[in-house]
Amino acid sequence: MRNRRVLFLVEVAIFSALALLLDIIPFLSFKLWAQGGSVSFAMVPVFIMAFRWGLKGGVTTGLLLGIYQIMTGAYIMTPLQAFLDYVVAFAVIGAAGLVAKPLWKAIKSKESRRLVGWIIVGCLIGSVLRFFGHFFAGIVFYGEFAPEGQPVWLYSLVYNGGYMLPAFILSSIVVSLLFVKRPTLLSH
């Protein structure tokens, strides 16, 4: 039991640090907007932890990633905005762990299509929840950046959807390829 807990803590630390690196290394991340938001591989390690360890592993890894984002120069206007944009938005990526058990069953029964389906569902859950964190922060805190005459909710939808949709697609593809080729990555 103790070794399992140590393995969990080590993996959370390693995968959250890897997620940060995948987000800040210039050639692995494509910045879309001046105020933040990028298409990167940063969610991939969080999804891996969510699928390996379930909800606890994913949320913990995502939470640490959000804290690392704050520590490495996040765009912060108020404490509440930082909480929504970084702590909440990154922690909820780990909600992908809700589909960990069906995903493990698909691997055990060697059903690649079901495995990919559950990976996409999990990545969608985590990505949509992260989007909502950024979307609500955009409505509340970034309305001043909306073009004149454009509703703030529409501005936030376009701004945050503009990088979250490609990030979801990229993450789903990468995680699917990883687990279809190496299903043993899910065992701990």
Side-chain angles (χ1 to χ4, degrees):
M1 184 67 170
R2 186 177 187 286
N3 288 342
R4 188 170 159 82
R5 185 176 300 141
V6 170
L7 177 63
F8 172 77
L9 293 173
V10 168
E11 285 188 12
V12 164
I14 289 170
F15 278 85
S16 59
L18 177 61
L20 180 68
L21 286 174
L22 290 172
D23 197 40
I24 63 175
I25 294 176
F27 63 90
L28 292 176
S29 176
F30 180 72
K31 304 285 184 207
L32 289 179
W33 309 108
Q35 290 88 18
S38 62
V39 178
S40 73
F41 296 100
M43 291 194 299
V44 170
V46 180
F47 288 136
I48 291 171
M49 284 298 289
F51 298 146
R52 280 178 60 84
W53 292 95
L55 200 56
K56 179 176 74 169
V59 170
T60 307
T61 306
L63 177 66
L64 266 180
L65 171 59
I67 292 168
Y68 293 160
Q69 292 276 350
I70 292 170
M71 292 170 51
T72 57
Y75 185 78
I76 298 175
M77 298 169 75
T78 69
L80 182 58
Q81 173 267 330
F83 181 73
L84 270 177
D85 250 347
Y86 297 98
V87 177
V88 171
F90 285 98
V92 296
I93 297 170
L98 291 170
V99 302
K101 287 184 182 175
L103 204 140
W104 298 335
K105 287 179 186 174
I107 284 183
K108 211 176 246 185
S109 60
K110 297 184 180 171
E111 298 177 65
S112 293
R113 290 185 122 173
R114 282 187 57 217
L115 172 63
V116 171
W118 284 114
I119 288 170
I120 291 170
V121 168
C123 289
L124 182 64
I125 290 169
S127 297
V128 166
L129 290 175
R130 177 182 170 195
F131 165 78
F132 280 127
H134 295 309
F135 176 71
F136 290 124
I139 290 172
V140 175
F141 298 102
Y142 297 100
E144 66 192 59
F145 296 112
E148 193 167 324
Q150 184 179 47
V152 174
W153 68 267
L154 182 59
Y155 171 74
S156 186
L157 178 77
V158 170
Y159 184 97
N160 292 298
Y163 67 88
M164 282 305 305
L165 181 61
F168 155 69
I169 293 168
L170 179 68
S171 296
S172 296
I173 291 169
V174 170
V175 174
S176 294
L177 288 172
L178 278 171
F179 288 146
V180 166
K181 294 295 181 187
R182 295 281 184 249
T184 55
L185 288 172
L186 279 174
S187 60
H188 36 72

